[in-house]
Amino acid sequence: MGNKYVLGVRGCQHLGYGNRRMRLHPGTRWNQRVVDGHIAHELTTRAMLDAGVHGVIDGGDLTHRARPVPRDVELANRVDDLRARAGIWGIGNSGNHCAGAGTDISAMGAMHRPDLGMNAVYPDPRRGPGDGIGPHPGLYEIHRPADGVAIHAVSHYGLDRGLADEGIHIDPVPLPGHVNLFVCHGVFEADDRLYNCINPHGQERPIPLEWASRGWDAMLLSHYHSLGAVPGHDHGGPGQVWYTGSSLTRGFSDELGERGWLHVTVEDTGRVHVEARTIWQRPQYDLPLINGADLTTADIDNLISDRIAGLDLEDETSATLTGDAGAIARQRITGTTAAQRAALRALEPRWARLTALAASWQIDYQHSAHDAPAAEAAGHRTITGRVTDYGAELEARGRILAERIKVPDIIAAPVHEMALSWARQITPTGADGDTPDGD
């Protein structure tokens, strides 16, 4: 194996993700956030190659959709060619976003290029008995790229509880005498931040805490988009647990923070050292929530205008890399009446002019319970009420829903609270196209 063996581990690239409130890229006329994602993916791969990695692991959700558009597949393969030309092996796991629906296969199938050193982990019904890397091809595979190194890859499919009904039991266990790295696309059951990962694109499939106690030299997970070690499992020795993070922040459903990849070094002693490496990201500001309950329209206007004046809405690095220097910014407002919101919306064109340099500027109004239509308060629900009062609906039904979809007890309460927070942000005009996720 040599003195050191170095791996680059990334995840949640979400190629093809676009925030519909973003400007269009001047050259391609694609959504600017799609272009940002393409550039971030290439920056990540080039950074890995510059770091002298011996192999590249993609933890899953390389694409934002199970059926990516051709531009995203072309970009993914073109960037992967950089790896192939460097003579470096690659493993690509399947996530929930790239998972095929129904009888389709994962979008990672487009990246399965064994002749070029890239093996993707995804179930394929065309495989016959013994065809593929075991013990369960596409679900749980053990790759041995170098003497003494074993990479155990469990895909999103491999976490499916329904597999047991088919007589398939996914039970990853470290190989004796090896440095064992566990790679998986799912949420870690013991992570207190688990409630941030609720994802309507695919069933949540927690990684059991018990798996973490089996002696892995490192667990390298994707799906949750915050880069770094999991609190409580960040000791740097056997049993350490890390998230790859993502290549860019998806709207305001992701936590703001650094983006990048994991630099993993297997020392000649067998000790595994993991380090988070960061890449460029477009500046993004989530301005403090404004509670308008005790404020006049003029007060709110002055507060927003002052905040906009204090923002640096242009970034030189973003301009150089993407052709657009604009930052992303959002202001949320709560506690307002319908009359106040009407007055504030009349001011929005002026705020838009003040933020003209931004690539995306958005105002989100959060509705209050006291703002429900009178007819609904009297017990006669209206169509408008159903559209604008998701929070109240979830308040009444959320815990029943949690029981029916079998949300683990450890996260039921925080899941409910976070879901309420999202529901109360929804307005009749729609959100920006983002969906809460980890991944």
Side-chain angles (χ1 to χ4, degrees):
M1 185 174 64
N3 293 332
K4 292 184 179 180
Y5 200 68
V6 182
L7 307 177
V9 186
R10 67 185 182 223
C12 304
Q13 304 299 86
H14 286 278
L15 297 177
Y17 160 74
N19 181 338
R20 73 179 186 183
R21 298 190 186 190
M22 292 285 290
R23 280 201 289 251
L24 299 181
H25 181 257
T28 61
R29 306 307 293 169
W30 298 343
N31 184 286
Q32 182 65 54
R33 211 58 178 143
V34 169
V35 176
D36 287 355
H38 287 184
I39 291 171
H41 179 55
E42 183 168 344
L43 288 174
T44 298
T45 301
R46 289 187 180 277
M48 290 177 173
L49 300 181
D50 291 343
V53 301
H54 296 90
V56 171
I57 299 174
D58 191 298
D61 283 353
L62 174 64
T63 60
H64 188 58
R65 297 175 180 83
R67 296 178 178 177
V69 297
R71 69 183 180 202
D72 302 325
V73 175
E74 187 276 335
L75 182 280
N77 282 322
R78 179 156 43 87
V79 170
D80 191 54
D81 287 342
L82 299 174
R83 174 205 56 77
R85 285 197 293 270
I88 294 169
W89 59 262
I91 298 172
N93 207 357
S94 290
N96 54 309
H97 277 253
C98 56
T103 58
D104 208 346
I105 64 171
S106 170
M108 284 304 293
M111 296 303 297
H112 185 56
R113 309 196 294 175
D115 292 344
L116 296 176
M118 171 59 75
N119 285 279
V121 183
Y122 69 101
D124 189 339
R126 295 169 296 187
R127 287 180 174 143
D131 183 7
I133 298 174
H136 297 283
L139 305 175
Y140 169 34
E141 301 182 358
I142 302 176
H143 295 253
R144 305 186 199 185
D147 290 341
V149 175
I151 298 172
H152 301 247
V154 176
S155 67
H156 174 73
Y157 298 94
L159 292 174
D160 188 351
R161 297 184 184 92
L163 291 174
D165 297 333
E166 303 174 26
I168 300 174
H169 299 280
I170 305 301
D171 191 34
V173 177
L175 298 182
H178 287 68
V179 173
N180 290 277
L181 304 177
F182 178 80
V183 176
C184 190
H185 191 93
V187 290
F188 184 43
E189 189 175 60
D191 191 343
D192 291 338
R193 305 167 299 174
L194 190 58
Y195 62 86
N196 285 327
C197 299
I198 295 306
N199 188 330
H201 283 265
Q203 175 191 351
E204 289 310 311
R205 296 170 180 173
I207 298 166
L209 173 61
E210 191 270 329
W211 286 5
S213 63
R214 296 185 171 184
W216 307 105
D217 293 283
M219 298 181 74
L220 310 170
L221 314 180
S222 296
H223 185 60
Y224 181 52
H225 290 174
S226 291
L227 174 67
V230 173
H233 299 267
D234 51 359
H235 44 72
Q240 59 187 309
V241 184
W242 291 73
Y243 271 108
T244 62
S246 63
S247 62
L248 80 171
T249 305
R250 293 189 315 136
F252 291 94
S253 57
D254 287 349
E255 290 182 343
L256 299 185
E258 295 179 328
R259 261 48 199 171
W261 55 285
L262 298 179
H263 181 278
V264 181
T265 303
V266 180
E267 306 283 356
D268 55 0
T269 60
R271 181 180 181 274
V272 174
H273 176 71
V274 184
E275 177 187 354
R277 298 283 180 93
T278 60
I279 61 166
W280 157 87
Q281 65 172 315
R282 187 177 297 279
Q284 186 162 332
Y285 310 104
D286 195 7
L287 300 176
L289 177 70
I290 294 176
N291 189 339
D294 298 318
L295 300 177
T296 66
T297 299
D299 291 335
I300 297 174
D301 181 26
N302 291 333
L303 186 54
I304 292 177
S305 298
D306 289 345
R307 288 179 176 179
I308 291 173
L311 294 177
D312 186 358
L313 294 175
E314 289 191 296
D315 174 61
E316 183 177 342
T317 303
S318 297
T320 301
L321 290 174
T322 75
D324 192 319
I328 298 169
R330 176 179 75 163
Q331 176 65 70
R332 292 172 297 150
I333 305 174
T334 190
T336 56
T337 65
Q340 279 180 301
R341 288 195 295 277
L344 291 171
R345 287 194 172 100
L347 298 171
E348 289 183 9
R350 186 171 66 80
W351 297 333
R353 289 192 294 273
L354 293 175
T355 57
L357 296 177
S360 175
W361 162 255
Q362 63 188 73
I363 293 284
D364 285 347
Y365 297 97
Q366 296 184 355
H367 293 270
S368 303
H370 67 75
D371 205 29
E376 183 179 334
H380 303 290
R381 186 173 296 276
T382 65
I383 295 298
T384 303
R386 289 195 64 86
V387 172
T388 61
D389 199 17
Y390 293 118
E393 193 77 10
L394 186 59
E395 185 76 66
R397 304 186 185 190
R399 299 199 183 280
I400 296 175
L401 176 62
E403 292 177 1
R404 289 182 177 177
I405 64 174
K406 296 181 174 58
V407 176
D409 292 341
I410 191 173
I411 62 168
V415 164
H416 184 67
E417 293 305 315
M418 182 60 72
L420 280 175
S421 173
W422 291 329
R424 288 166 180 158
Q425 293 180 37
I426 299 175
T427 70
T429 56
D432 64 1
D434 302 324
T435 49
D437 183 41
D439 222 304

